[in-house]
Amino acid sequence: MVKKIKAGSSQLEVAQISLGCMRIAELSPQEADVHIHSAVEAGIDFFDHADIYAGGKAEEVFGDVLAASPGMREQLMVQTKCGIRQGFFDFSKEHIVQSVENSLKRLKTDYVDVLLLHRPDTLMEPEEVAEAFDYLEQKGMVKHFGVSNLNPLQIELLKKNVKQPLLFNQLQLSIMVSGMIDAGFNVNMTNSASVVHDGGILEYSRLHDMTIQPWSPFQYGFFEGVFLGNDKFPELNEVIGRLAAEKEVADTAIAIAWLLRHPASMQPIVGTTNTQRLLDIAKASDITLTRQEWYEIYRAAGNKLP
């Protein structure tokens, strides 16, 4: 059973692993129903959406499952995101409110548990975002708030006016996409790994009690492909495979356990539509890698310690 963690600085308890629903529209209604119920039974009761996933179809499919399962909504945590539009980003009050209203209709629910702002909008007016958040909170349409892919100063700029705690930041992070970790090892160095690309978001998140939600935890590059079982990464797969065999779990569980081992108390978003794979991943919550195992995986990914 997947464990619970505290979300950010709140007392809100959430599943340690979240199911990303970007591709759920590819499933038949029956398959989607089985997938969602299986996730809940395994303790994965936190579901991540966005208004743009499958053009809104992903939320519709999920909403149909909720509608067919009376009483299920109150057992779940539903998160959605807004801000990405065709060719631009939009953090205006009008768009945020309209996006949430549309998501609620598709999800067939009166509220979402979490709303994230999806990608930075350089034209953002913190006052407008604050007005949107206040309205959505007062109307009971959104319970909690966060961001996605924002750096520390962008978050601080938001906090200038937004009074609600920003509990989450959804960021790309995996064994093979570990820049926010790499820079912390290479302090006072001049190699490429020493470059801080994101303003020290890992340390900022820990200092300010924001829960990082790693997205694409099995990917290398930006949607270039998965690293597990990939011939491009023989040493990494040998190490992960050996540890998986020792602990009698799937390689996917080891990859997620690597993220969970970090003291930042992360909540990985896994987007699989394969129910058995999801159940295999859920076992990561029962694994605690040793410090030596964590570093062995990190080095096997091609990283050099100074």
Side-chain angles (χ1 to χ4, degrees):
M1 182 67 71
V2 171
K3 297 181 177 71
K4 298 284 188 180
I5 60 171
K6 292 287 178 61
S9 58
S10 74
Q11 295 303 306
L12 179 68
E13 290 194 338
V14 298
Q16 194 177 35
I17 299 170
S18 168
L19 179 59
C21 296
M22 184 170 69
R23 297 196 299 274
I24 201 170
E26 299 170 6
L27 301 178
S28 70
Q30 182 179 10
E31 289 170 335
D33 186 84
V34 170
H35 196 56
I36 292 167
H37 279 85
S38 297
V40 175
E41 289 171 8
I44 302 176
D45 57 4
F46 193 107
F47 297 86
D48 175 67
H49 291 270
D51 56 355
I52 62 167
Y53 289 167
K57 182 67 175 175
E59 290 181 329
E60 289 180 4
V61 169
F62 193 88
D64 288 342
V65 173
L66 288 182
S69 306
M72 187 180 190
R73 174 65 186 94
E74 289 70 30
Q75 303 172 32
L76 310 180
M77 298 286 292
V78 178
Q79 170 176 282
T80 196
K81 302 184 286 293
C82 70
I84 298 179
R85 303 188 69 177
Q86 191 69 36
F88 63 105
F89 303 126
D90 190 348
F91 284 5
S92 67
K93 177 184 178 181
E94 180 184 12
H95 177 68
I96 292 171
V97 171
Q98 185 65 62
S99 177
V100 171
E101 290 175 346
N102 291 339
S103 287
L104 294 180
K105 290 176 185 176
R106 291 190 291 265
L107 290 164
K108 296 180 175 62
T109 183
D110 296 328
Y111 68 97
V112 291
D113 297 279
V114 183
L115 174 69
L116 305 185
L117 297 177
H118 203 180
R119 292 274 173 198
D121 173 17
T122 193
L123 302 183
M124 170 185 74
E125 298 283 357
E127 299 88 348
E128 266 199 88
V129 175
E131 289 177 11
F133 282 11
D134 287 345
Y135 175 84
L136 293 169
E137 184 178 53
Q138 289 163 9
K139 293 291 184 180
M141 298 160 70
V142 178
K143 304 295 185 184
H144 307 280
F145 299 86
V147 297
S148 177
N149 305 293
L150 267 64
N151 68 32
L153 288 182
Q154 290 167 333
I155 295 169
E156 287 297 309
L157 181 59
L158 264 179
K159 287 164 68 174
K160 178 182 176 183
N161 294 89
V162 170
K163 67 183 182 186
Q164 293 83 1
L166 299 175
L167 301 182
F168 302 93
N169 193 359
Q170 199 168 112
L171 299 158
Q172 186 177 17
L173 177 63
S174 73
I175 294 169
M176 289 299 301
V177 182
S178 56
M180 69 176 72
I181 294 174
D182 304 340
F185 284 125
N186 291 274
V187 176
N188 203 34
M189 306 285 286
T190 58
N191 55 353
S192 59
S194 69
V195 178
V196 179
H197 291 281
D198 48 34
I201 190 64
L202 176 61
E203 291 77 15
Y204 175 90
S205 299
R206 296 182 69 183
L207 279 169
H208 294 272
D209 296 315
M210 289 187 75
T211 297
I212 292 175
Q213 295 179 332
W215 57 268
S216 289
F218 305 117
Q219 295 277 333
Y220 69 95
F222 188 76
F223 290 125
E224 291 180 33
V226 298
F227 55 82
L228 293 174
N230 192 323
D231 292 340
K232 291 182 179 179
F233 312 106
E235 184 181 355
L236 176 60
N237 278 285
E238 186 280 322
V239 171
I240 289 177
R242 172 168 47 79
L243 291 173
E246 290 174 2
K247 300 177 189 300
E248 300 181 327
V249 296
D251 55 359
T252 49
I254 298 297
I256 295 300
W258 187 83
L259 293 169
L260 298 181
R261 174 63 177 81
H262 199 282
S265 190
M266 301 179 190
Q267 184 196 36
I269 308 290
V270 300
T272 183
T273 54
N274 182 307
T275 300
Q276 184 55 57
R277 187 174 296 127
L278 180 64
L279 298 180
D280 290 340
I281 290 169
K283 294 178 181 177
S285 193
D286 297 323
I287 299 169
T288 301
L289 296 176
T290 66
R291 189 178 296 265
Q292 290 84 354
E293 289 168 340
W294 191 95
Y295 275 98
E296 183 182 15
I297 291 171
Y298 181 76
R299 295 196 314 273
N303 297 301
K304 291 183 170 57
L305 297 177

